Amino acid sequence: MINPFIETLRFFAYFCCSMQFTKRTNTCGELELADSGKRVSLNGWVSQVRDLGGVIFVNLRDRYGVTQLTIPSENKQVYDIAKSLGLEYVISATGIVQKRSSANPNMKTGEVEVLAEIIEILNVSETTPFVVEEEVKASEELRWKYRYLDLRRKKIADNLVLRSKVYQIVHRYFERENFVEIETPILMKSTPEGARDYLVPSRVHKGKFYALPQSPQTYKQILMVSGMDKYVQICKCFRDEDLRADRQPEFTQIDLEMSFVEEKDVFKVVEGVICDIWKEAAGIELNTPFKIMSYDEAMQAFGSDKPDLRVKGEMKIVNITDTVKNTEFKVFNDAISQKGIVAGIKLTAQEVSRKIIDSLTDYVKTLKFGGLGYIKYNADGSSASPMLKFLNDEIQSGIKKDFDANPGDVVFILSGEKKKVLSALGNLRLKLAEMFNLIDETKYEFVWINNFPIFGFEESDNSFYAEHHAFTMPNTEDMAKLDNGYKNPKENIEDLLSIRATCYDLVCNGNEFGSGSIRIHRSDIQQKVFSVLDLTKDQQEEKFGFLLDAFKFGAPPHGGFALGFDRIIAILCGTKDIRETIAFPKTTSAVGLMDSCPSIVEEKQLKELGISINS
Amino acid sequence: MINPFIETLRFFAYFCCSMQFTKRTNTCGELELADSGKRVSLNGWVSQVRDLGGVIFVNLRDRYGVTQLTIPSENKQVYDIAKSLGLEYVISATGIVQKRSSANPNMKTGEVEVLAEIIEILNVSETTPFVVEEEVKASEELRWKYRYLDLRRKKIADNLVLRSKVYQIVHRYFERENFVEIETPILMKSTPEGARDYLVPSRVHKGKFYALPQSPQTYKQILMVSGMDKYVQICKCFRDEDLRADRQPEFTQIDLEMSFVEEKDVFKVVEGVICDIWKEAAGIELNTPFKIMSYDEAMQAFGSDKPDLRVKGEMKIVNITDTVKNTEFKVFNDAISQKGIVAGIKLTAQEVSRKIIDSLTDYVKTLKFGGLGYIKYNADGSSASPMLKFLNDEIQSGIKKDFDANPGDVVFILSGEKKKVLSALGNLRLKLAEMFNLIDETKYEFVWINNFPIFGFEESDNSFYAEHHAFTMPNTEDMAKLDNGYKNPKENIEDLLSIRATCYDLVCNGNEFGSGSIRIHRSDIQQKVFSVLDLTKDQQEEKFGFLLDAFKFGAPPHGGFALGFDRIIAILCGTKDIRETIAFPKTTSAVGLMDSCPSIVEEKQLKELGISINS
């Protein structure tokens, strides 16, 4: 595609300036009234050209801002160049800073303009596939494909600048805390645990493969065995999973591990870095220590292990099973007789229409509930609900008391299997909060969730599994349960399922920021856990081989954490889409639209690797 | 392998302290006389136990140092525990700091000991495959396999600590210089250029592959097109090549790129970070600006584009072709008549025996020279050489003058094809420097090598190739040669080969630390370069597709650099083996001995990826 006009310009630009050009004295984002009278040079991209006849205004953009160039027709040579400028041309402009006749309060440099005396065209641009402007009209696909144009938008560039800033804050923090930043391998051993590995065929050892790390978990524990004491790394991790909007095939995590610590020591270090980030990157002082809530508490009160604590009035789940246990209301009765629960949440002082109730009822139906109970507490002290006729006065007033309901409030009630009811009410809580605008968007509510169960039990294959991972240390208080149960796990299911792990998540505004645990460092305890998980020596060896080897030679007590860097940046940028914070993100089908990867490779490359593509 | 004694101890340790233990108040590397009388707790590894009958001395080690514990037999309970300690056991010890009766000046904490009142065994250790001591006796293989034990040696741990420190210095520097640290993708597109890619099969898009980056070159140039202005990243790069001791399949580089700059701007930024590293990590103030030497100059004077400038008296190559051009000495004559050169180096004031001359002659024979000419200048003013009889007085005194030779000096002379002679003399120079101990090991001699040729010419297939890469900007002064020659490159070979590139290496003590260039940002120049390289539009598209696309939309002038991080750390650690500075290095056949990677993976994994191993 040869555009003769552009070609002429290239020619002109070449002879005009060869490879020399006037380098900037300032960026496009910093000139102000105090600079008036100075001769400056700016380098940047043409983002707007307005030709008013006798004068041309050019907006010149770089990552730091936009400055207006003014070119009156009197300066014929420069005026002619200015006339030839297209959008996204790269130029160098030299001239005198002067006060604008009418300031633009929306621009950082809006009080001044540069009266251009020289304009050099450093490069031309073809017409871009979309206009580079803050409120871009292009589709997401087009934006990813031409990411270099998308990144010229200040909003996106600022996200990357913020990301870089946080990067530095994190490095500084851990240096101050005497951590050692250690790079663990990207080419590592594939392990059948966890999510799916990305594999890398070896050329030298044909038929063998490396894996990209899902996390440096094993290596950081090995570093503790090696005495490195305090390890940190901001590193790329990889998971070959079907992606959601907030997942990328490669993602960044702040990974840390410490020796001779217990849970509270890890909390303190993580809180420290979070506070530094919020303070330095967002100017917000967070209160520490963060709240701590056990997994059980979180599930009971919020029906979620990622409770969003920004909801006004908390809207905790209220368990009314005891209060209604003597009712003849069949729905409640059925649930209770099957060891289920009756519970609800209260919406305080809101107008709830029939239509809203219908939509909420539809919603809980998608969660597999037959219906949604509700009681409206009217201003006149009466209450209204289709189910009141089934509940006697004592129960009615018991419910009102349980919920501390007042006129204007509405309570919503579900009954059934405990886990299902809590989870549904947790979702309903968020739905109501959104519907009635009950979330304070200015707040950052951090909470530690700890004491997760160490084991889960899969009924379908009658076996235990590790809820976090097999190296998570049981809570000291529950160690006796493990000692009693590990030899005959199937006869001690209840007891074993009630063992809590020294395992913890950090949650912010309903998002999981990261996860960690105190690890098992002693092989006697490890063997008991393996025994519950029914792993033979061979399976242990296959799954965890070299880590178990290392543990034979003096593993210290240790624990750690991994923070999702992308998610932290997304929250700070005020976006839910982590791709907006990544320079070159991939689509949900793991495609790079800009560089068209993955792609077909040469037969020769495959042959060298000793692999073939299945037909 | 169950050791009943160890099993008993595990049992004991469990009941003794459960998962609770006394956490350290201090590290093992910090107690001093001023702490005397304090009650402290230390956590660490048992590195030595000396039982003197009435008293046991235990050396306790962590990454910070070693502290001596003293356990007199009077405290029976602790004494018994101390007696049971094996090497590499992990313990917590609590007691009172006291002055040692005889200080150990070789230990940082050598003036004090801790009179242990409580010892808790936190973990036991099997007998280690080698003793953890500074002067380790284990083979390299054993060290890599049990890297976690190897890393308990202070020397190796200190390398990692230094590496981390330099990491932080680099981050701080670039933040101060207003660079944005941007993560480029690890899963990227495979390009047929350069070295061999590591490939990653895609599961979602069967038959397609990602590649791991050999460098983020394309992406950083795209970031300049996107206006990010100043980019830096400390990143992992990957090359699937047959390895040497100083190469790893994955390595770390400090990668940077800047817009609106010329060569000297890049030099300044790189010198800045090198100076910061040397100052903060080694306490050495380097002089700036660094020397700059053109490629031609380096080749002429040192026969190498990586000259080691630490050699005493420089030992530059002296070209005596002009001086000897009228000789009848056949060896010289033959060389000159075939457009070759006669050149040599001078060894100043050294005793050179017949034996040494023989060994040097043997050495140049390995470089394919028939013999090595030499002239010894004797103390009495005479000179001795087998070739003097072929050289008349005028030529003899001309040579003496060219070399500025004095009594006691010896000059070595080679003749033949220019490139070969210079390169051989370059090697001879280093050999002599080593032999006669002429290298000042305390020095760091930095030099920029620039003005490399932009093109090379491969006689065998009669074609040009890019010496650096196809995006390197020609030197402005040589642009006319490109303009004249690009249409008929084969008729302008000499001219095109003399075009210099704005391409530069940073060399330190004879090691290449990094490489960079100013890139071509304008498509007219790019097309001329492609024309010389004889790349069709299709080939351009295939090799460089999306970068050329990006360049259509306003690419700014830009240039950059990449520094080899591992090599910098190795030099600072005083080792030639970069593996000593990497936590988990791979062998020269790209094997991880500790984690046994690469390894065989499950058939299921391959099936999911749609690939098979060739039988």
Side-chain angles (χ1 to χ4, degrees):
Chain A
M1 236 181 15
I2 293 198
N3 176 330
F5 176 66
I6 286 182
E7 290 306 307
T8 314
L9 267 172
R10 283 191 213 279
F11 196 70
F12 174 75
Y14 177 71
F15 276 95
C16 147
C17 55
S18 177
M19 279 307 91
Q20 313 293 338
F21 64 93
T22 311
K23 280 191 285 184
R24 62 187 166 198
T25 55
N26 294 77
T27 70
C28 298
E30 62 186 6
L31 294 175
E32 50 186 30
L33 220 43
D35 296 305
S36 300
K38 282 188 194 154
R39 166 169 280 104
V40 298
S41 294
L42 302 178
N43 299 161
W45 285 260
V46 172
S47 73
Q48 198 180 56
V49 182
R50 281 167 300 144
D51 187 343
L52 306 188
V55 60
I56 294 175
F57 295 109
V58 173
N59 275 358
L60 195 62
R61 180 202 338 107
D62 64 14
R63 130 161 111 84
Y64 312 94
V66 176
T67 302
Q68 178 173 292
L69 309 175
T70 305
I71 306 104
S73 57
E74 287 78 37
N75 188 341
K76 175 119 179 49
Q77 203 194 345
V78 182
Y79 188 77
D80 285 347
I81 295 176
K83 259 183 120 153
S84 77
L85 294 176
L87 292 181
E88 305 307 325
Y89 276 34
V90 185
I91 65 170
S92 172
T94 300
I96 306 290
V97 183
Q98 61 184 25
K99 187 174 190 292
R100 275 205 213 182
S101 52
S102 59
N104 179 348
N106 298 321
M107 269 167 86
K108 211 172 131 196
T109 63
E111 290 193 289
V112 297
E113 62 189 0
V114 173
L115 187 65
E117 296 167 349
I118 304 170
I119 290 182
E120 301 157 45
I121 296 177
L122 308 184
N123 215 345
V124 295
S125 171
E126 291 185 8
T127 304
T128 52
F130 57 86
V131 180
V132 177
E133 53 194 352
E134 283 314 303
E135 296 307 322
V136 75
K137 286 165 197 81
S139 71
E140 236 176 33
E141 282 67 31
L142 212 57
R143 286 178 52 213
W144 303 140
K145 181 162 166 56
Y146 297 96
R147 184 61 161 174
Y148 37 88
L149 300 177
D150 198 35
L151 283 171
R152 288 190 194 157
R153 296 162 57 211
K154 191 161 168 50
K155 194 170 138 187
I156 308 294
D158 280 355
N159 285 355
L160 294 194
V161 173
L162 180 77
R163 189 180 174 106
S164 170
K165 188 172 179 181
V166 175
Y167 218 74
Q168 311 317 323
I169 296 166
V170 174
H171 282 296
R172 269 198 303 274
Y173 173 81
F174 283 103
E175 185 182 26
R176 213 171 56 226
E177 294 289 323
N178 219 4
F179 278 68
V180 187
E181 189 155 357
I182 300 176
E183 297 163 73
T184 52
I186 298 281
L187 295 172
M188 56 170 266
K189 188 182 160 77
S190 178
T191 53
E193 273 299 280
R196 210 181 281 114
D197 279 331
Y198 275 106
L199 295 183
V200 181
S202 163
R203 175 181 56 85
V204 185
H205 307 277
K206 291 196 176 48
K208 294 189 173 180
F209 293 80
Y210 303 96
L212 304 183
Q214 293 180 31
S215 98
Q217 184 66 34
T218 328
Y219 295 92
K220 71 176 176 176
Q221 292 195 240
I222 292 264
L223 284 171
M224 295 305 103
V225 177
S226 72
M228 290 312 298
D229 201 48
K230 290 175 166 189
Y231 144 92
V232 72
Q233 187 181 197
I234 308 188
C235 58
K236 280 279 180 76
C237 301
F238 305 83
R239 272 177 215 173
D240 186 8
E241 287 184 327
D242 299 312
L243 306 177
R244 306 191 306 255
D246 66 339
R247 286 276 175 89
Q248 285 277 305
E250 54 184 291
F251 55 96
T252 305
Q253 86 185 21
I254 306 171
D255 195 52
L256 63 102
E257 195 78 12
M258 304 158 73
S259 287
F260 305 115
V261 293
E262 51 191 328
E263 185 176 275
K264 67 179 177 194
D265 302 303
V266 180
F267 285 8
K268 204 173 160 204
V269 164
V270 175
E271 288 177 6
V273 72
I274 293 283
C275 285
D276 269 16
I277 294 171
W278 255 253
K279 188 171 165 188
E280 294 182 43
I284 293 169
E285 296 265 5
L286 298 173
N287 292 324
T288 55
F290 294 163
K291 289 185 187 111
I292 302 174
M293 197 181 286
S294 74
Y295 171 81
D296 273 350
E297 219 178 319
M299 292 309 292
Q300 303 281 358
F302 303 102
S304 166
D305 57 2
K306 299 193 274 286
D308 190 337
L309 301 186
R310 292 172 304 169
V311 178
K312 274 173 206 155
E314 285 196 309
M315 272 179 92
K316 280 189 183 176
I317 295 169
V318 179
N319 190 326
I320 58 169
T321 313
D322 256 11
T323 307
V324 303
K325 68 171 184 272
N326 295 321
T327 181
E328 282 158 30
F329 183 35
K330 193 175 176 317
V331 180
F332 290 178
N333 249 343
D334 284 357
I336 296 170
S337 65
Q338 285 163 43
K339 291 190 180 171
I341 63 163
V342 182
I345 47 174
K346 177 180 72 174
L347 181 65
T348 305
Q350 297 285 351
E351 201 58 55
V352 178
S353 67
R354 183 69 240 168
K355 205 177 137 193
I356 287 176
I357 287 182
D358 285 348
S359 85
L360 294 172
T361 304
D362 286 347
Y363 176 67
V364 301
K365 279 182 181 163
T366 67
L367 304 175
K368 298 191 177 149
F369 281 85
L372 176 65
Y374 67 89
I375 305 172
K376 277 186 173 185
Y377 295 92
N378 297 325
D380 63 4
S382 71
S383 48
S385 163
M387 66 184 180
L388 287 183
K389 57 178 173 275
F390 304 109
L391 307 172
N392 64 31
D393 281 358
E394 191 194 337
I395 291 178
Q396 283 192 31
S397 67
I399 293 176
K400 192 175 175 200
K401 202 176 151 213
D402 283 353
F403 280 105
D404 188 22
N406 292 306
D409 295 350
V410 185
V411 303
F412 298 94
I413 296 171
L414 287 173
S415 58
E417 199 250 310
K418 181 175 174 182
K419 232 171 165 172
K420 219 175 114 193
V421 167
L422 292 175
S423 163
L425 287 171
N427 284 317
L428 193 64
R429 172 177 177 269
L430 294 179
K431 192 148 196 82
L432 288 168
E434 200 194 327
M435 218 172 224
F436 292 93
N437 215 1
L438 300 178
I439 290 178
D440 183 345
E441 297 282 354
T442 65
K443 266 189 170 174
Y444 295 97
E445 285 285 357
F446 287 89
V447 58
W448 290 104
I449 309 296
N450 69 358
N451 279 325
F452 284 82
I454 192 165
F455 299 117
F457 191 77
E458 183 51 56
E459 301 280 353
S460 67
D461 57 3
N462 192 36
S463 68
F464 286 90
Y465 59 90
E467 281 276 4
H468 188 58
H469 60 56
F471 299 100
T472 307
M473 181 70 93
N475 194 313
T476 307
E477 293 167 20
D478 296 340
M479 208 64 91
K481 288 182 186 169
L482 180 64
D483 286 335
N484 295 332
Y486 79 94
K487 282 180 186 156
N488 298 300
K490 299 288 160 62
E491 286 158 33
N492 294 281
I493 295 179
E494 280 297 298
D495 241 26
L496 291 170
L497 288 182
S498 73
I499 298 179
R500 293 159 299 168
T502 22
C503 171
Y504 33 81
D505 283 358
L506 179 60
V507 170
C508 171
N509 295 357
N511 298 284
E512 187 197 316
F513 263 24
S515 182
S517 66
I518 299 297
R519 329 296 183 184
I520 300 173
H521 64 282
R522 283 221 331 255
S523 50
D524 54 341
I525 303 173
Q526 189 66 67
Q527 288 305 328
K528 288 173 194 163
V529 168
F530 284 155
S531 165
V532 174
L533 297 175
D534 202 18
L535 287 178
T536 64
K537 285 273 172 198
D538 280 354
Q539 288 168 324
Q540 293 170 26
E541 181 58 34
E542 190 203 329
K543 283 178 195 253
F544 313 110
F546 69 102
L547 181 58
L548 296 181
D549 280 349
F551 277 13
K552 292 176 190 159
F553 301 108
H558 63 288
F561 204 71
L563 277 162
F565 191 70
D566 304 295
R567 205 161 300 172
I568 290 177
I569 305 300
I571 289 243
L572 287 170
C573 291
T575 173
K576 283 186 174 147
D577 188 346
I578 59 168
R579 293 176 301 180
E580 299 290 350
T581 72
I582 296 170
F584 304 109
K586 293 199 170 57
T587 66
T588 43
S589 66
V591 163
L593 288 178
M594 185 183 76
D595 57 2
S596 309
C597 74
S599 63
I600 288 166
V601 298
E602 290 177 9
E603 197 51 47
K604 186 184 127 212
Q605 289 173 282
L606 298 182
K607 212 173 154 190
E608 280 191 311
L609 297 174
I611 58 169
S612 309
I613 296 165
N614 298 345
S615 51
Chain B
M1 234 177 23
I2 293 197
N3 175 329
F5 175 66
I6 286 184
E7 289 306 308
T8 313
L9 266 172
R10 285 191 212 279
F11 196 70
F12 174 75
Y14 177 73
F15 277 96
C16 148
C17 56
S18 179
M19 279 307 92
Q20 314 293 339
F21 63 94
T22 310
K23 279 192 285 185
R24 62 187 166 198
T25 55
N26 293 78
T27 70
C28 298
E30 63 187 4
L31 294 175
E32 51 188 29
L33 219 45
D35 296 304
S36 300
K38 282 189 194 154
R39 167 168 279 106
V40 299
S41 295
L42 302 178
N43 298 160
W45 285 260
V46 173
S47 73
Q48 199 181 55
V49 182
R50 282 168 299 146
D51 189 343
L52 306 188
V55 60
I56 294 175
F57 295 108
V58 173
N59 274 358
L60 195 61
R61 179 196 347 102
D62 64 13
R63 129 161 112 82
Y64 312 93
V66 176
T67 301
Q68 177 174 293
L69 309 175
T70 305
I71 306 104
S73 58
E74 288 77 40
N75 189 341
K76 175 122 179 44
Q77 201 192 349
V78 183
Y79 187 78
D80 284 347
I81 295 176
K83 261 184 120 154
S84 76
L85 293 177
L87 292 182
E88 305 307 324
Y89 276 36
V90 185
I91 66 170
S92 173
T94 300
I96 305 290
V97 183
Q98 62 184 24
K99 189 174 188 294
R100 274 206 212 183
S101 51
S102 57
N104 179 347
N106 299 321
M107 269 168 86
K108 211 172 129 198
T109 62
E111 291 194 288
V112 296
E113 62 188 2
V114 173
L115 187 66
E117 296 167 347
I118 304 169
I119 290 182
E120 301 158 44
I121 297 176
L122 309 185
N123 214 344
V124 294
S125 171
E126 293 185 5
T127 303
T128 52
F130 57 88
V131 179
V132 177
E133 53 194 351
E134 283 315 302
E135 297 308 321
V136 75
K137 287 165 197 80
S139 70
E140 235 176 33
E141 283 66 34
L142 211 57
R143 286 178 52 214
W144 303 141
K145 181 162 165 56
Y146 297 95
R147 184 63 161 171
Y148 36 89
L149 300 177
D150 198 34
L151 283 170
R152 286 188 195 159
R153 294 162 58 211
K154 191 160 168 52
K155 193 170 139 188
I156 307 293
D158 280 355
N159 285 356
L160 294 194
V161 172
L162 179 77
R163 188 179 174 107
S164 171
K165 189 171 179 183
V166 175
Y167 218 74
Q168 311 316 322
I169 295 167
V170 174
H171 282 297
R172 269 199 302 275
Y173 173 81
F174 283 102
E175 184 183 29
R176 213 170 56 226
E177 294 289 321
N178 219 4
F179 278 67
V180 187
E181 188 154 359
I182 300 175
E183 297 163 73
T184 52
I186 299 280
L187 295 172
M188 56 169 265
K189 186 182 161 77
S190 179
T191 54
E193 275 297 281
R196 210 181 283 113
D197 280 332
Y198 275 106
L199 296 182
V200 181
S202 163
R203 175 182 54 87
V204 185
H205 307 276
K206 292 196 174 52
K208 295 189 172 180
F209 292 79
Y210 303 95
L212 304 182
Q214 293 180 31
S215 96
Q217 185 65 34
T218 327
Y219 295 91
K220 70 176 175 174
Q221 292 196 239
I222 293 263
L223 285 171
M224 294 305 102
V225 178
S226 72
M228 291 312 298
D229 202 47
K230 291 174 164 187
Y231 144 91
V232 72
Q233 188 182 196
I234 308 188
C235 57
K236 280 280 179 77
C237 300
F238 305 82
R239 272 176 215 173
D240 185 8
E241 288 183 326
D242 300 314
L243 306 177
R244 305 192 306 256
D246 67 339
R247 286 276 175 88
Q248 283 278 305
E250 55 183 291
F251 55 97
T252 305
Q253 86 185 20
I254 306 172
D255 195 51
L256 62 103
E257 194 77 10
M258 303 159 73
S259 289
F260 306 115
V261 292
E262 50 190 332
E263 185 176 277
K264 67 178 178 195
D265 302 304
V266 180
F267 284 10
K268 205 174 158 201
V269 163
V270 175
E271 288 176 7
V273 73
I274 293 284
C275 286
D276 269 18
I277 294 171
W278 255 252
K279 190 173 163 186
E280 293 183 43
I284 294 169
E285 295 265 4
L286 298 174
N287 292 324
T288 55
F290 294 163
K291 289 185 188 112
I292 302 174
M293 197 180 285
S294 74
Y295 171 80
D296 273 350
E297 219 178 320
M299 293 309 293
Q300 303 281 0
F302 303 103
S304 165
D305 58 1
K306 300 193 275 281
D308 190 336
L309 301 185
R310 291 172 304 169
V311 178
K312 273 174 206 155
E314 284 198 309
M315 272 180 94
K316 279 190 183 176
I317 294 170
V318 179
N319 190 326
I320 58 170
T321 314
D322 256 10
T323 307
V324 303
K325 68 170 181 272
N326 294 322
T327 182
E328 281 159 33
F329 183 34
K330 193 173 177 313
V331 179
F332 290 178
N333 249 343
D334 285 357
I336 296 170
S337 66
Q338 285 164 43
K339 292 190 179 172
I341 63 166
V342 182
I345 46 175
K346 179 179 71 175
L347 182 64
T348 304
Q350 297 286 353
E351 201 58 56
V352 178
S353 66
R354 183 70 239 168
K355 204 176 141 196
I356 287 176
I357 287 182
D358 286 347
S359 86
L360 294 173
T361 304
D362 286 347
Y363 177 65
V364 301
K365 280 182 181 163
T366 67
L367 305 175
K368 296 187 179 152
F369 282 84
L372 176 65
Y374 68 90
I375 306 172
K376 276 186 173 185
Y377 295 92
N378 298 326
D380 63 4
S382 70
S383 47
S385 164
M387 64 185 179
L388 286 183
K389 56 178 174 276
F390 304 109
L391 306 172
N392 64 32
D393 280 359
E394 192 193 337
I395 291 178
Q396 282 193 30
S397 68
I399 292 176
K400 191 173 177 202
K401 204 175 149 214
D402 284 352
F403 281 104
D404 188 23
N406 293 305
D409 295 350
V410 185
V411 302
F412 297 93
I413 297 171
L414 288 173
S415 58
E417 199 250 311
K418 182 175 174 183
K419 234 172 162 172
K420 220 176 111 192
V421 168
L422 293 175
S423 163
L425 288 171
N427 284 318
L428 194 63
R429 172 177 178 269
L430 293 180
K431 190 144 197 87
L432 289 168
E434 201 193 326
M435 217 172 225
F436 292 94
N437 214 2
L438 301 177
I439 289 178
D440 183 346
E441 297 281 355
T442 65
K443 267 190 170 174
Y444 295 97
E445 284 286 356
F446 286 89
V447 58
W448 290 104
I449 309 296
N450 68 359
N451 279 325
F452 285 81
I454 192 164
F455 299 117
F457 191 77
E458 184 52 56
E459 301 280 354
S460 67
D461 57 3
N462 192 36
S463 67
F464 286 91
Y465 59 89
E467 281 276 6
H468 188 60
H469 60 56
F471 299 100
T472 308
M473 181 70 92
N475 193 314
T476 307
E477 293 166 22
D478 296 342
M479 207 66 89
K481 289 182 186 169
L482 181 63
D483 286 334
N484 295 331
Y486 79 94
K487 281 180 187 156
N488 298 300
K490 300 286 159 62
E491 286 158 33
N492 294 281
I493 295 180
E494 281 296 301
D495 242 27
L496 290 171
L497 288 181
S498 73
I499 298 179
R500 294 161 297 169
T502 22
C503 172
Y504 32 81
D505 282 359
L506 180 61
V507 171
C508 170
N509 295 357
N511 297 284
E512 187 198 317
F513 262 24
S515 181
S517 65
I518 300 296
R519 330 294 182 183
I520 300 174
H521 64 283
R522 282 221 331 255
S523 50
D524 53 342
I525 303 173
Q526 189 66 68
Q527 288 306 327
K528 288 172 194 162
V529 168
F530 283 156
S531 167
V532 173
L533 298 174
D534 202 18
L535 287 178
T536 63
K537 287 273 170 197
D538 279 355
Q539 288 168 324
Q540 293 169 27
E541 179 59 33
E542 191 202 328
K543 281 178 196 254
F544 312 111
F546 70 101
L547 181 59
L548 296 180
D549 279 350
F551 276 13
K552 292 176 189 160
F553 301 108
H558 63 289
F561 204 73
L563 277 162
F565 191 72
D566 304 296
R567 205 161 301 171
I568 290 177
I569 305 300
I571 288 239
L572 286 170
C573 291
T575 173
K576 282 186 176 148
D577 189 346
I578 59 169
R579 293 176 301 180
E580 299 290 350
T581 71
I582 295 170
F584 303 109
K586 294 199 169 57
T587 66
T588 45
S589 66
V591 164
L593 288 177
M594 184 183 76
D595 56 2
S596 310
C597 74
S599 63
I600 288 166
V601 298
E602 290 178 7
E603 197 50 48
K604 186 183 128 212
Q605 289 174 281
L606 298 181
K607 211 172 155 189
E608 280 191 311
L609 296 174
I611 60 170
S612 308
I613 296 165
N614 298 345
S615 51

